[in-house]
Amino acid sequence: MKKFIALLSVLFLSAALVACDNGGEDTTITIGANIYTFGDNFMNGVVRPALEDYADHLGVVIDIVDSENDQGKLNDQVDVFIESGVDVLCINLVDPAAAGTIIEKAKAADIPLILYNKEATVEGVMATYDKVWYVGTNSAQSGIIQGDMMLADWQANPSWDKNGDGKVQYVLLKGESGHPDAEARTTFAVKSFTDAGIEVEELALKDSSTWNTQEALDTMASWITSYGDSIELVISNNDGMAFGAITAMETAGVDFPVYGVDALDQALQHIKDGEMNGTVLNDGVNQARATLDLAVNAARGVDVTFATAWELDNTTTKAVRVDYLAVTPENVDEF
Ligand code: GAL
Ligand code: CA
């Protein structure tokens, strides 16, 4: 009889465990997420798979939609996520100035929100909701690293100053105007030269809302036609656009130093092949992990950095900022 009771209680206990798991309340966390456009090399090629892998690893469900570079579309997608009852939102803004709209929606529904990759550009907007955080980088850091790398190479290669005027004649592929990364990279990449007392001359600058390879190819082709060999340096605010510049140069049979940002696999290969001079690792894998760690903690209602190695920068911007790293021909094999 004792044995029978013991067996019964074991059966009862396991039944109760199963009930907790599947019956009553479903405890699986569901995340509504987006990528501002699946047409972006870095966001779609690095960050999206990293989000999916890490969600699997954490045992949470993530739905990642394509906002097709349309903020209006993203606003609607967020409404649909909220109606469907997701536990938390991970949002890659299309327009960094539209953060307030998304924050208001999340706040009205009392759903935590992690903004990632595109930092809100509206001052004070992060303070309007206690359940919004940001995961990204320190944008200026990428420009400083890229600028220092270009400066060192320029100083080591006097022949790069083709017209011998002591100035750097450069063209710059900017990326999205108003995007904190694009703005900061544009400023700081060039500042390394001027801080070192080297004058620069901007021959041309072009923005591109999707940081796109094809657009950059067309832009670079027209710059080669206009400026030809007076171009001494090609600064690209991301690798995707640098690839376009490289193809345009190959087609035209010219060869200028080119630098990017992101450290996509293809960029590492270009550096090894001597077709690109350097890039800056934009650590999308750790950005994805931080985004989901914060999201899951927020959904559970615990401190967002609980049981993680992430740290928030301050109480105003509430951001986790993942470090950038220089990638040069000397260290490329480590990546
Ligand atoms: C940047 C990245 C770009 C582009 C952009 C999209 O951090 O360097 O390649 O992906 O984000 O917001
Ligand atoms: Ca010169």
Side-chain angles (χ1 to χ4, degrees), residues 7 45 64 104 115 135 138 155 164 204-206 253 265 273 275 298:
L7 184 67
I64 307 176
E104 272 169 35
L115 297 173
V135 174
N138 171 353
Q155 287 174 326
L205 175 151
K206 179 87 170 59
D265 286 346
D273 296 345
E275 287 157 348

Side-chain angles (χ1 to χ4, degrees), residues 148-271:
D148 289 351
M149 196 156 59
M150 295 189 298
L151 171 67
D153 291 349
W154 176 268
Q155 287 174 326
N157 294 283
S159 64
W160 285 13
D161 183 13
K162 285 185 286 196
N163 63 355
D165 68 350
K167 295 185 197 168
V168 188
Q169 274 77 24
Y170 71 91
V171 293
L172 193 147
L173 294 159
K174 182 174 174 180
E176 182 192 352
S177 250
H179 188 310
D181 289 350
E183 298 300 337
R185 289 172 193 170
T186 302
T187 307
F188 287 97
V190 170
K191 196 170 175 291
S192 292
F193 286 102
T194 52
D195 282 355
I198 296 171
E199 278 185 68
V200 295
E201 184 185 343
E202 184 179 280
L203 298 177
L205 175 151
K206 179 87 170 59
D207 55 24
S208 155
S209 70
T210 56
W211 306 73
N212 179 288
T213 299
Q214 183 59 46
E215 229 180 287
L217 195 164
D218 298 341
T219 303
M220 188 69 202
S222 82
W223 286 343
I224 293 170
T225 308
S226 315
Y227 306 104
D229 230 23
S230 37
I231 300 171
E232 295 176 338
L233 176 66
V234 182
I235 305 174
S236 181
N237 282 343
N238 83 340
D239 288 342
M241 296 186 295
F243 302 156
I246 289 169
T247 307
M249 291 192 295
E250 274 167 7
T251 307
V254 293
D255 186 16
F256 313 130
V258 187
Y259 294 82
V261 175
D262 283 342
L264 302 182
D265 286 346
Q266 201 184 331
L268 303 181
Q269 194 54 51
H270 277 314
I271 293 175

Side-chain angles (χ1 to χ4, degrees), residues 116-131:
Y116 75 104
N117 168 258
K118 285 201 203 186
E119 186 160 16
T121 50
V122 185
E123 181 113 17
V125 78
M126 298 297 283
T128 62
Y129 184 31
D130 61 345
K131 290 183 198 160

Side-chain angles (χ1 to χ4, degrees), residues 88-91 99 102-103 106 111-115 129 131-133:
V88 54
L89 292 161
C90 294
I91 298 301
I102 303 295
I103 293 174
I111 296 177
L113 167 66
I114 314 297
L115 297 173
Y129 184 31
K131 290 183 198 160
V132 61
W133 295 270

